[in-house]
Amino acid sequence: MDFSSFVTSLGTSLIIFVVLMLAFTWLNRKPGNAVIYYPNRILRGLDPLEGRTVTRNPLAWIKEAVKASEADVIAVAGVDAAVYLVFLSSVLAILVFSGIILLPVLLPVAATDNGTQSTTDSNSQGTFKNLDKLTMGHIQESSSRLWAFLLGVYWVSFVTYYVLWKSYTHVSDLRAGAKTSAVVKPEEFAVLVRDIPAAPPGQSMKDHVDSYFRALHPETFYKSMVVTDNKKANKIWEEIEGYRKKLARAEVVYAESKTTGKPEGTRPTNKTGFLGLVGPKVDTIDHCNEKIQELLPKLEAEQNITLKEKQQGAALVFFCSKPAAVSASQTIHAQKIDTWTMMEAPEPRQVLWTNLSKKFYEREIRSLIVYGIVFLTVCFYMIPIAFVSAFTTMENLKKYLPFLKKIVDQPEIKTVLEAYLPQIALLVFMALLPTLLMFLSKEEGIPSESHAVRAASGKYFYFIVFNVFLGVTIGGTLYASLKEIIKKPSQIITLLGSSLPKSATFFLTYVALKFFVGYGLELSRLVPLIIFHLKKKFLCKTEAEVKEAWAPSDFGYATRFPNDMLIVTIVLCYSVIAPIIIPFGVVYFGLGWLVARNQALKVYVPRYESNGRMWPHIHTRIVAALIVYQITMLGYIGILRKFYYATFMIPVIAISFIFAYVCKQRFYLAFFHTPLEVACQGTKEIPNMESIYAAYIPPCLSTEKLQDVDQFEDAHSHSLRTTSL
Amino acid sequence: MDFSSFVTSLGTSLIIFVVLMLAFTWLNRKPGNAVIYYPNRILRGLDPLEGRTVTRNPLAWIKEAVKASEADVIAVAGVDAAVYLVFLSSVLAILVFSGIILLPVLLPVAATDNGTQSTTDSNSQGTFKNLDKLTMGHIQESSSRLWAFLLGVYWVSFVTYYVLWKSYTHVSDLRAGAKTSAVVKPEEFAVLVRDIPAAPPGQSMKDHVDSYFRALHPETFYKSMVVTDNKKANKIWEEIEGYRKKLARAEVVYAESKTTGKPEGTRPTNKTGFLGLVGPKVDTIDHCNEKIQELLPKLEAEQNITLKEKQQGAALVFFCSKPAAVSASQTIHAQKIDTWTMMEAPEPRQVLWTNLSKKFYEREIRSLIVYGIVFLTVCFYMIPIAFVSAFTTMENLKKYLPFLKKIVDQPEIKTVLEAYLPQIALLVFMALLPTLLMFLSKEEGIPSESHAVRAASGKYFYFIVFNVFLGVTIGGTLYASLKEIIKKPSQIITLLGSSLPKSATFFLTYVALKFFVGYGLELSRLVPLIIFHLKKKFLCKTEAEVKEAWAPSDFGYATRFPNDMLIVTIVLCYSVIAPIIIPFGVVYFGLGWLVARNQALKVYVPRYESNGRMWPHIHTRIVAALIVYQITMLGYIGILRKFYYATFMIPVIAISFIFAYVCKQRFYLAFFHTPLEVACQGTKEIPNMESIYAAYIPPCLSTEKLQDVDQFEDAHSHSLRTTSL
């Protein structure tokens, strides 16, 4: 890629961004689009237009994003969103502090060196001079100017330690603050108990659990809810819900048909067979009503059976006070510690019910299998990416697809293609993966949605770093080099060091594409907007259906964090080799912070709240990226630039490990468990335990009739109304 | 070593054993020796002679040892001794079950193979035929008879899994049983809190701790005892105790002088200067009395200062019930988890006070440094041992010390020397180490004696396996091979496999020496007996001094476990190569079990009780020895015997790792913490909390006057008499 194609790429990205911003400013103001641009505010019952008509400024959203306080963000979007913003601002701070020193120092040091032109260190074959002059590749071998770059690594490292320490402390406080809030959260009074051994003969699981906890926590135990196998009940319940939706839709259709010519209207009909295409024709309204009437007693019967006979070896145990629940969740209960395993209960909305009853060793085996599959996926995905990145150079395209020659040889198309082809190939590959990883993570037997998201996010991170970063950097040579690496593992440092500079411009373009086009699309929400309008026009009949069409998603941390982490890794690794990447990183995270604030305040609705539980993982990964960076620099400066003082880099690598260890010791467990100090600080008054208990009843088991099932074998609680505190 | 020297070695060992046994039978019966042979019984106030005069049978002690039940052992010697016996009997069971199959199968398989004589596999150069015929070295390469040996490894492995699982379950029950006993143990109501942050200005540490725990455990907190820096008070107290002993001794001397000729007696005198050799002469009794009178008010003043001003950042916190203490010890208290770290309190008698106030990161750094030193020690000790084992072959002795030639050439001396020299060299080296390791372990900042013993035992185990087992086996070639191994780590398997058979007879002799001479000395207690009689005759004047002279030690687990573990490792590793070692192992552990029972019931007095906390480590080490054995066999059968089905060994290695993992998951944490289930089972009645509290007051701070210090700043408790439950 030569310099002009780099500028073209930046230019087109910028134009797309400006267009999207203008589209956003224009679309944003139409009241019909409010549900797309302000769904969060609408769902909270606020006026989406409030304070909007006065400004026609396309940058008004920036002012609003900056003005909001962190407390506002937490109130609207939860601690998780606030932690995501802390992540963005931390990285921003690291890059700004690094850039303040590195840019004015390293660029002149590199530019004024009149050393031999080492053209091999760049893929530009001498045509990319202007940028090349500003990189470390321009410095003579063994030059004492390399000291500046070595000290640059130290500066970046210490800035990172400082910022990360501050951020970890801040996030830790945020988490403690959220846990001490006066709002009663059901999960704070509940403990999830798994691996319950079989009940003694003649006793139901429910009684078994009750008697166990009543004996161990005589004063604080409230009651228990044994997890049941709801599969069948759930199926019936979903069937009923399906018919209800159909009924509502048919009634609207019928009502609409009335207003036109015929006052009696036409009753909608459908066929009962496969996909409504075959089978006898029936009146939809009557048919749905019949079906619902038919299924309701069935559901009730199934509910009874489920509660009585399908009790599983897991339970939610409720305690009368937060400290009691916290203590219980951290205390080993049984002498055989693979039974009665305790943990803090997840929020009701994010419990993965079917995973709860999976046994201890089953979970371990599932995890092992999933790791195996992920490992294979990482290796398997590497092949097409390496192939694409080797194939999509202009020369190869012309060589293998000669019929493209004419198109490709036109200078404009050539430039654009050259600039974007590899990146687009990459993005397409990436889009296919998250669903698979999320599915795999849930299969591990994880009890909550947020935990599954964390697990998927970790997998995605490893995937993306190995495949995109290493894949692109080492590229086609990786498989050839693999033999070499296995023979001599230290080879990887040399290989990475020598391959990095070659890919500098690729990653510069990648980062620019990501922030201009990525954030442009994110902010303008063009895709959800178009889908919503299409759905509203052609599909939706009832109010509920319209609402479903615009219902906003959440942040999607499973892919958002790893994608940002990839940029962190890239920018860190190039920060000293080609400091010119730092401003790109600053723009990425600065713009990212603004956009994310806007989306948090106005658009996304969190599906769960994990109180920043993601942070320790993010922290560890940033430190890991830092260590990769330091090791790469050791290899690059020491072996390729033949600067033997590079051994001075080894202490800073050791410091990184110590930093990671100290942070883990100081902060991690407080993210894993709730400290007693925090649990005791909250409100002291006893909340309505009944409503806390009811929050965990799955919808397919909750009917008004259920409360009459005041029987002995009931998996939920027979003391539903008898016991009261 | 040829066959005759092997037999000589066995024979002499046996003779020594028989002599020692006869000495034991004879000495045992003398009433004056009762304090040496029955100190445990005497201290418990039992009649040592009870039931003894009727039997003159030299094997009577065996009957008594077998007759006692496990409950008896626990009652007398504690759970730790019982667990040690479980360890011995488990290994015995493994060896017996293995031997039942391996001996009748493998010996004929080996003996009847008329393959090529591969003399290189034995250090006997063809003179050691009779034993050689019974080892695997006798089997032809790639012979299908090797299947029998391969299956032998499987049999040993599965026997080990089975026995270890049973034993772990049994020990786990023993531990739970001990923790639920009705006896009130102070440590069950106390929690050790370390890393307490600095108290807010104007508040003493004591108030800081009290207010913190009163807030978090309003209903169950009893009171706290802040750890103080007792160094100075302790010094004064020890000085006083010294003078008291001196006084008692002087009074006895004075009284004795009276009974002879002069009725007025001679008052003993001494010099006050260095070692009683210089300085003015004084009357000892008066001098001591003066000194004591002078020091007592000093001690009191120092006690006050200590309690008020020398409060440290650690405390013992007492709770009103066992479950409350257990819960508190397992619950994270602070948001910053490197502060207010909680753990179950150690027994009062085994608290290492000076370590309690060491800070979290200080402890980590100390551990790191200690590990470094231990690593160096392991490497450093290897050099002399390798040197000795190379030097002490007959040829080398004659070569380097020609003046010895005449002595050495006499056949009897030659045989004995050849049989014992290397082993004795080894034993001497071993004797110097435990003290160093114990000192290092305490320097790590460990809070209790039993934990320090465990840590020292672990270090000793690594040491002994690396140095004795690997050192002797690979011997002089190790350092030459080290380069090879670093280049290609898989080389170690080949090296170990090829070196093992050469050392078979060395280890046979080593095991025999250990059990015949070791157990002979252990049982006959010749060394303590001689020391006691010498002391009694020449040194002891007062009753207390005599008692001190015979006071029994404890089992000394820090060296006992690793020494036995070395034998386990040796016997396991040779079990298939030379199954003839199994009977030796059986005798070692069988005799060991009998002797240990005898000593537990009659001799040793435990210094602490850790309720079998050692077992998980022992379990892990037996599994580790099994894995070393399996890997060695893989190398030996696969590479050296060129039997390519040896890959069938890989699954069993994987199973070993899974077994270790499952055991850890199922049992380990219940050894680390006390499960709530166990804590709740004990007695429900509230014990005398005052006496529990008083049990932890260090002797140098406990005087009657102390109770008057009912002041605000008191590090112990100002609510000593005001608060009562």
Side-chain angles (χ1 to χ4, degrees):
Chain A
M1 191 194 298
D2 57 27
F3 190 62
S4 71
S5 81
F6 173 66
V7 172
T8 313
S9 150
L10 271 189
T12 36
S13 297
L14 182 61
I15 290 166
I16 294 172
F17 181 66
V18 169
V19 168
L20 288 171
M21 288 300 293
L22 291 175
F24 168 63
T25 316
W26 181 66
L27 292 166
N28 190 6
R29 262 181 270 149
K30 307 214 165 253
N33 292 339
V35 290
I36 290 299
Y37 294 106
Y38 303 92
N40 179 330
R41 291 177 68 89
I42 292 171
L43 287 176
R44 278 181 297 137
L46 295 175
D47 176 16
L49 305 170
E50 180 195 324
R52 253 188 65 249
T53 40
V54 282
T55 59
R56 279 168 169 267
N57 184 347
L59 299 178
W61 65 273
I62 293 183
K63 221 177 94 191
E64 285 169 36
V66 173
K67 231 172 49 194
S69 71
E70 190 167 46
D72 294 340
V73 172
I74 292 175
V76 173
V79 177
D80 288 340
V83 167
Y84 177 60
L85 290 170
V86 169
F87 160 67
L88 294 175
S89 60
S90 302
V91 177
L92 185 63
I94 292 171
L95 295 181
V96 168
F97 284 130
S98 301
I100 284 172
I101 298 289
L102 294 190
L103 288 175
V105 172
L106 295 190
L107 292 186
V109 167
T112 57
D113 196 75
N114 298 316
T116 47
Q117 210 65 33
S118 53
T119 48
T120 49
D121 280 356
S122 149
N123 64 350
S124 53
Q125 265 84 34
T127 60
F128 198 31
K129 296 266 164 57
N130 297 329
L131 274 186
D132 255 14
K133 256 196 165 172
L134 303 174
T135 70
M136 211 166 136
H138 191 61
I139 303 279
Q140 273 180 298
E141 282 182 1
S142 318
S143 161
S144 61
R145 285 177 181 232
L146 288 167
W147 272 111
F149 292 88
L150 200 153
L151 292 176
V153 177
Y154 265 86
W155 173 251
V156 173
S157 304
F158 281 97
V159 162
T160 308
Y161 303 146
Y162 176 77
V163 171
L164 283 184
W165 182 266
K166 285 269 168 203
S167 303
Y168 214 147
T169 312
H170 181 58
V171 172
S172 182
D173 291 344
L174 282 185
R175 183 175 168 87
K179 294 233 167 197
T180 52
S181 79
V183 183
V184 171
K185 295 169 196 152
E187 66 272 15
E188 290 177 342
F189 294 85
V191 168
L192 173 59
V193 186
R194 302 171 88 180
D195 311 305
I196 303 174
Q203 206 178 15
S204 77
M205 190 54 97
K206 165 81 184 157
D207 297 326
H208 185 39
V209 173
D210 276 355
S211 64
Y212 189 81
F213 282 95
R214 200 162 286 135
L216 297 190
H217 303 277
E219 278 140 38
T220 51
F221 172 69
Y222 175 62
K223 63 185 167 192
S224 70
M225 177 192 283
V226 170
V227 173
T228 50
D229 178 7
N230 301 339
K231 218 177 286 169
K232 221 168 155 185
N234 208 36
K235 209 181 146 193
I236 300 172
W237 181 76
E238 273 170 4
E239 227 173 311
I240 294 174
E241 288 298 300
Y243 282 117
R244 278 194 179 138
K245 269 190 196 167
K246 235 177 176 174
L247 185 62
R249 190 186 163 88
E251 272 164 356
V252 170
V253 170
Y254 182 47
E256 274 174 5
S257 72
K258 267 181 191 160
T259 49
T260 52
K262 291 185 276 181
E264 77 282 2
T266 35
R267 290 180 73 86
T269 57
N270 68 308
K271 289 176 179 173
T272 57
F274 178 72
L275 282 177
L277 297 176
V278 291
K281 213 171 186 179
V282 290
D283 181 298
T284 307
I285 295 174
D286 292 349
H287 177 69
C288 286
N289 274 326
E290 267 167 39
K291 278 283 177 187
I292 291 170
Q293 288 314 316
E294 192 180 300
L295 285 169
L296 273 178
K298 246 180 147 181
L299 175 65
E300 206 177 302
E302 183 56 38
Q303 281 174 345
N304 280 336
I305 293 172
T306 304
L307 291 176
K308 279 180 206 161
E309 286 161 30
K310 294 186 177 172
Q311 303 183 4
Q312 309 274 304
L316 287 152
V317 175
F318 297 87
F319 289 88
C320 304
S321 76
K322 278 206 243 177
V326 160
S327 266
S329 73
Q330 295 179 37
T331 307
I332 293 167
H333 275 62
Q335 177 75 13
K336 306 254 175 297
I337 48 165
D338 54 358
T339 60
W340 299 102
T341 51
M342 315 284 289
M343 59 181 290
E344 288 176 20
E347 287 179 309
R349 57 179 163 172
Q350 58 160 318
V351 176
L352 299 174
W353 289 98
T354 48
N355 277 346
L356 294 190
S357 58
K358 294 204 170 97
K359 287 286 169 198
F360 190 84
Y361 296 106
E362 188 191 342
R363 301 199 298 267
E364 301 280 328
I365 292 165
R366 278 168 172 269
S367 284
L368 219 64
I369 293 170
V370 165
Y371 293 152
I373 295 173
V374 169
F375 179 78
L376 291 178
T377 311
V378 168
C379 292
F380 168 81
Y381 260 70
M382 219 162 188
I383 297 166
I385 288 192
F387 178 74
V388 163
S389 93
F391 187 71
T392 51
T393 62
M394 277 299 113
E395 286 69 33
N396 282 339
L397 267 188
K398 279 189 272 185
K399 203 160 133 203
Y400 296 113
L401 303 171
F403 59 90
L404 281 178
K405 206 175 177 182
K406 272 198 191 143
I407 311 171
V408 162
D409 274 348
Q410 291 184 359
E412 310 83 48
I413 294 180
K414 188 180 168 181
T415 322
V416 172
L417 271 185
E418 225 171 22
Y420 285 128
L421 244 176
Q423 288 87 335
I424 289 172
L426 212 57
L427 291 175
V428 169
F429 273 111
M430 292 296 100
L432 305 171
L433 199 66
T435 322
L436 172 69
L437 294 181
M438 193 65 197
F439 168 77
L440 285 175
S441 298
K442 285 189 179 170
E443 282 304 298
E444 280 183 56
I446 283 169
S448 69
E449 182 81 19
S450 65
H451 190 166
V453 166
R454 283 199 298 283
S457 146
K459 294 181 179 74
Y460 197 70
F461 171 71
Y462 291 115
F463 178 88
I464 215 169
V465 164
F466 275 92
N467 279 307
V468 181
F469 185 56
L470 292 184
V472 169
T473 308
I474 307 184
T477 64
L478 182 69
Y479 282 92
S481 323
L482 221 55
K483 251 180 162 175
E484 202 70 16
I485 290 171
I486 287 165
K487 265 193 210 152
K488 211 178 164 188
S490 60
Q491 200 67 24
I492 188 104
I493 300 177
T494 324
L495 195 66
L496 208 55
S498 68
S499 309
L500 265 183
K502 292 185 201 157
S503 313
T505 43
F506 173 88
F507 281 119
L508 273 182
T509 326
Y510 183 75
V511 173
L513 187 72
K514 271 273 196 174
F515 66 65
F516 278 140
V517 181
Y519 288 142
L521 282 173
E522 167 93 52
L523 195 63
S524 66
R525 286 179 69 73
L526 273 189
V527 180
L529 185 78
I530 292 166
I531 292 175
F532 166 65
H533 281 296
L534 287 176
K535 271 194 183 166
K536 196 181 166 193
K537 186 137 193 135
F538 300 109
L539 289 173
C540 303
K541 294 289 176 191
T542 62
E543 265 305 301
E545 281 172 334
V546 173
K547 197 170 171 186
E548 210 171 74
W550 61 257
S553 65
D554 69 351
F555 259 106
Y557 298 112
T559 54
R560 193 171 281 262
F561 268 119
N563 276 320
D564 291 342
M565 275 308 305
L566 175 65
I567 308 289
V568 173
T569 313
I570 290 170
V571 175
L572 270 185
C573 282
Y574 282 101
S575 64
V576 160
I577 292 181
I580 198 74
I581 205 169
I582 293 179
F584 285 80
V586 168
V587 174
Y588 181 86
F589 287 101
L591 208 53
W593 185 81
L594 288 173
V595 171
R597 277 213 139 191
N598 182 68
Q599 307 299 78
L601 288 168
K602 299 178 189 160
V603 181
Y604 295 137
V605 172
R607 272 189 303 136
Y608 59 79
E609 175 63 78
S610 72
N611 293 317
R613 182 71 180 73
M614 180 71 102
W615 179 260
H617 302 280
I618 294 305
H619 171 89
T620 311
R621 281 170 208 151
I622 297 177
V623 176
L626 184 72
I627 291 172
V628 167
Y629 157 58
Q630 290 163 342
I631 291 174
T632 312
M633 283 302 100
L634 174 66
Y636 184 70
I637 297 183
I639 298 168
L640 280 146
R641 299 278 98 204
K642 299 202 172 57
F643 187 62
Y644 299 109
Y645 295 107
T647 41
F648 279 100
M649 210 88 93
I650 292 170
V652 84
I653 297 174
I655 294 172
S656 294
F657 278 103
I658 293 170
F659 176 75
Y661 177 77
V662 170
C663 284
K664 193 175 172 211
Q665 290 300 318
R666 184 167 177 84
F667 299 111
Y668 181 65
L669 269 183
F671 281 77
F672 192 76
H673 294 305
T674 303
L676 198 58
E677 191 176 273
V678 169
C680 284
Q681 263 171 39
T683 171
K684 295 278 179 200
E685 59 189 84
I686 294 168
N688 178 358
M689 289 304 293
E690 261 328 298
S691 67
I692 284 174
Y693 177 79
Y696 277 95
I697 297 174
C700 67
L701 296 183
S702 94
T703 64
E704 293 75 48
K705 293 214 173 164
L706 186 70
Q707 296 191 4
D708 294 336
V709 186
D710 206 355
Q711 294 174 31
F712 189 69
E713 303 91 346
D714 180 3
H716 290 174
S717 195
H718 54 281
S719 54
L720 208 73
R721 268 165 295 153
T722 51
T723 318
S724 167
L725 294 169
Chain B
M1 193 195 296
D2 57 26
F3 190 63
S4 72
S5 82
F6 173 67
V7 173
T8 313
S9 150
L10 270 190
T12 37
S13 299
L14 183 62
I15 290 166
I16 293 171
F17 182 67
V18 170
V19 168
L20 289 171
M21 287 300 292
L22 291 175
F24 169 63
T25 316
W26 181 65
L27 292 166
N28 189 7
R29 262 182 270 148
K30 306 214 166 253
N33 293 337
V35 290
I36 291 299
Y37 294 106
Y38 303 92
N40 179 330
R41 290 178 69 90
I42 291 170
L43 287 176
R44 278 182 295 139
L46 295 175
D47 176 16
L49 307 169
E50 179 195 324
R52 255 187 65 250
T53 39
V54 282
T55 59
R56 281 167 167 268
N57 183 348
L59 299 178
W61 64 274
I62 293 183
K63 221 176 96 189
E64 284 169 37
V66 174
K67 232 171 48 193
S69 72
E70 190 167 46
D72 294 340
V73 173
I74 291 174
V76 172
V79 177
D80 287 340
V83 167
Y84 177 61
L85 290 170
V86 169
F87 159 67
L88 294 175
S89 61
S90 302
V91 177
L92 185 64
I94 292 171
L95 295 180
V96 167
F97 284 130
S98 302
I100 284 171
I101 299 289
L102 294 189
L103 287 175
V105 172
L106 295 188
L107 291 185
V109 166
T112 58
D113 195 78
N114 298 314
T116 47
Q117 210 66 32
S118 51
T119 47
T120 50
D121 281 354
S122 151
N123 64 349
S124 54
Q125 266 83 34
T127 60
F128 198 34
K129 294 271 162 56
N130 296 331
L131 273 186
D132 255 15
K133 255 195 164 172
L134 302 175
T135 70
M136 214 166 132
H138 191 61
I139 303 278
Q140 274 180 296
E141 281 183 1
S142 318
S143 162
S144 61
R145 284 177 182 231
L146 288 167
W147 272 112
F149 292 88
L150 202 153
L151 292 176
V153 177
Y154 266 86
W155 173 250
V156 173
S157 304
F158 281 98
V159 162
T160 308
Y161 303 146
Y162 175 77
V163 172
L164 282 184
W165 182 265
K166 286 268 167 203
S167 303
Y168 215 148
T169 312
H170 180 57
V171 172
S172 181
D173 292 344
L174 281 186
R175 183 176 167 87
K179 293 233 169 199
T180 52
S181 80
V183 183
V184 171
K185 293 170 197 152
E187 66 272 16
E188 289 177 342
F189 293 86
V191 168
L192 173 58
V193 186
R194 301 169 90 179
D195 310 306
I196 302 174
Q203 207 178 16
S204 77
M205 190 55 99
K206 166 81 185 158
D207 297 326
H208 184 40
V209 173
D210 277 355
S211 65
Y212 189 81
F213 282 95
R214 201 161 286 134
L216 298 188
H217 302 277
E219 278 141 38
T220 51
F221 172 69
Y222 174 63
K223 63 185 167 191
S224 69
M225 178 192 284
V226 171
V227 173
T228 51
D229 177 8
N230 301 339
K231 218 177 288 167
K232 220 166 154 189
N234 208 35
K235 210 182 146 195
I236 301 172
W237 182 76
E238 274 171 5
E239 227 171 312
I240 294 175
E241 288 298 300
Y243 282 118
R244 278 195 179 135
K245 269 189 196 168
K246 234 176 179 176
L247 184 64
R249 191 186 163 87
E251 271 164 358
V252 170
V253 171
Y254 182 47
E256 273 175 5
S257 73
K258 268 182 192 160
T259 48
T260 53
K262 293 184 276 182
E264 78 282 3
T266 35
R267 290 181 74 86
T269 57
N270 70 306
K271 288 176 181 172
T272 55
F274 178 72
L275 283 176
L277 297 176
V278 290
K281 213 172 186 176
V282 291
D283 182 297
T284 308
I285 294 174
D286 293 347
H287 178 68
C288 288
N289 274 327
E290 265 167 42
K291 278 282 176 189
I292 291 170
Q293 287 316 315
E294 191 181 301
L295 285 169
L296 273 178
K298 245 178 146 181
L299 176 64
E300 207 177 302
E302 183 55 39
Q303 282 174 345
N304 280 335
I305 292 172
T306 304
L307 291 176
K308 279 181 205 162
E309 286 160 28
K310 293 187 178 172
Q311 302 185 4
Q312 310 272 305
L316 287 152
V317 175
F318 297 87
F319 289 88
C320 305
S321 76
K322 278 206 244 178
V326 160
S327 266
S329 74
Q330 295 178 36
T331 307
I332 292 166
H333 275 61
Q335 177 74 13
K336 305 254 173 299
I337 49 165
D338 54 0
T339 59
W340 298 103
T341 51
M342 315 284 291
M343 61 180 289
E344 288 177 20
E347 287 180 307
R349 57 178 164 173
Q350 56 161 318
V351 177
L352 299 175
W353 290 98
T354 49
N355 277 346
L356 294 190
S357 58
K358 293 204 172 96
K359 287 287 169 199
F360 190 83
Y361 296 106
E362 188 192 342
R363 302 199 297 267
E364 300 282 328
I365 292 165
R366 279 168 172 271
S367 285
L368 219 66
I369 294 170
V370 165
Y371 293 152
I373 295 173
V374 169
F375 179 78
L376 290 179
T377 312
V378 168
C379 292
F380 169 80
Y381 260 71
M382 221 163 186
I383 297 165
I385 288 191
F387 178 74
V388 164
S389 92
F391 188 72
T392 50
T393 61
M394 277 300 113
E395 287 69 32
N396 282 337
L397 268 189
K398 279 189 275 185
K399 204 161 131 202
Y400 295 113
L401 303 171
F403 59 90
L404 282 178
K405 205 175 176 184
K406 273 197 189 143
I407 311 170
V408 163
D409 274 348
Q410 292 183 0
E412 309 82 48
I413 293 180
K414 188 181 169 180
T415 321
V416 171
L417 271 185
E418 224 171 25
Y420 285 127
L421 246 176
Q423 287 88 333
I424 288 171
L426 213 56
L427 291 175
V428 169
F429 273 111
M430 292 295 102
L432 305 172
L433 199 65
T435 321
L436 171 70
L437 294 181
M438 193 66 196
F439 168 76
L440 286 175
S441 299
K442 284 188 179 169
E443 282 305 299
E444 281 184 55
I446 284 169
S448 69
E449 182 82 20
S450 66
H451 191 166
V453 165
R454 284 197 299 282
S457 146
K459 294 180 179 75
Y460 197 70
F461 171 71
Y462 291 115
F463 179 88
I464 215 169
V465 165
F466 276 92
N467 278 307
V468 180
F469 184 56
L470 292 184
V472 169
T473 308
I474 305 182
T477 64
L478 182 69
Y479 282 91
S481 323
L482 220 55
K483 251 180 162 175
E484 200 70 18
I485 290 171
I486 287 167
K487 265 196 211 150
K488 211 177 162 188
S490 60
Q491 199 68 23
I492 188 104
I493 301 177
T494 325
L495 194 67
L496 206 56
S498 68
S499 310
L500 265 183
K502 291 183 202 158
S503 314
T505 43
F506 173 88
F507 283 118
L508 273 183
T509 326
Y510 183 75
V511 174
L513 186 73
K514 271 273 198 176
F515 65 67
F516 278 140
V517 181
Y519 289 140
L521 281 174
E522 167 92 52
L523 195 64
S524 66
R525 285 178 70 74
L526 273 190
V527 180
L529 184 77
I530 293 165
I531 291 174
F532 165 66
H533 281 294
L534 287 177
K535 271 193 182 168
K536 195 179 164 193
K537 189 141 189 131
F538 300 109
L539 289 174
C540 304
K541 295 289 176 192
T542 63
E543 264 307 299
E545 281 172 333
V546 172
K547 197 170 171 186
E548 209 170 76
W550 61 257
S553 65
D554 69 350
F555 259 106
Y557 298 113
T559 53
R560 193 171 281 261
F561 268 119
N563 276 320
D564 290 344
M565 275 309 305
L566 175 66
I567 307 289
V568 173
T569 312
I570 291 170
V571 175
L572 270 184
C573 283
Y574 283 100
S575 64
V576 161
I577 292 181
I580 198 76
I581 205 170
I582 293 177
F584 284 80
V586 168
V587 174
Y588 180 86
F589 287 101
L591 208 52
W593 185 81
L594 288 173
V595 172
R597 279 213 137 191
N598 181 70
Q599 307 299 80
L601 289 167
K602 299 178 189 161
V603 181
Y604 294 136
V605 172
R607 273 190 302 137
Y608 58 79
E609 175 63 81
S610 71
N611 293 317
R613 182 71 181 73
M614 181 70 104
W615 178 259
H617 302 280
I618 294 306
H619 172 88
T620 310
R621 281 170 208 152
I622 296 176
V623 176
L626 184 71
I627 291 171
V628 167
Y629 157 58
Q630 290 164 342
I631 291 174
T632 311
M633 283 302 99
L634 174 66
Y636 184 71
I637 298 182
I639 297 168
L640 281 146
R641 298 280 98 204
K642 298 201 172 56
F643 187 62
Y644 300 109
Y645 295 106
T647 43
F648 279 99
M649 211 88 92
I650 292 168
V652 86
I653 297 174
I655 294 172
S656 295
F657 278 104
I658 294 170
F659 176 75
Y661 177 77
V662 170
C663 284
K664 192 175 171 213
Q665 289 300 318
R666 185 168 176 84
F667 299 110
Y668 181 65
L669 269 183
F671 281 77
F672 192 74
H673 295 304
T674 304
L676 197 58
E677 183 175 280
V678 169
C680 284
Q681 262 173 39
T683 170
K684 295 278 179 200
E685 60 188 84
I686 294 167
N688 178 357
M689 288 304 294
E690 261 328 297
S691 68
I692 284 174
Y693 176 80
Y696 277 96
I697 298 174
C700 68
L701 295 183
S702 93
T703 63
E704 292 75 50
K705 292 214 173 161
L706 186 71
Q707 296 190 4
D708 294 336
V709 186
D710 207 354
Q711 294 174 30
F712 191 70
E713 303 91 346
D714 181 3
H716 288 174
S717 195
H718 54 280
S719 55
L720 208 75
R721 266 165 294 154
T722 51
T723 319
S724 167
L725 294 169

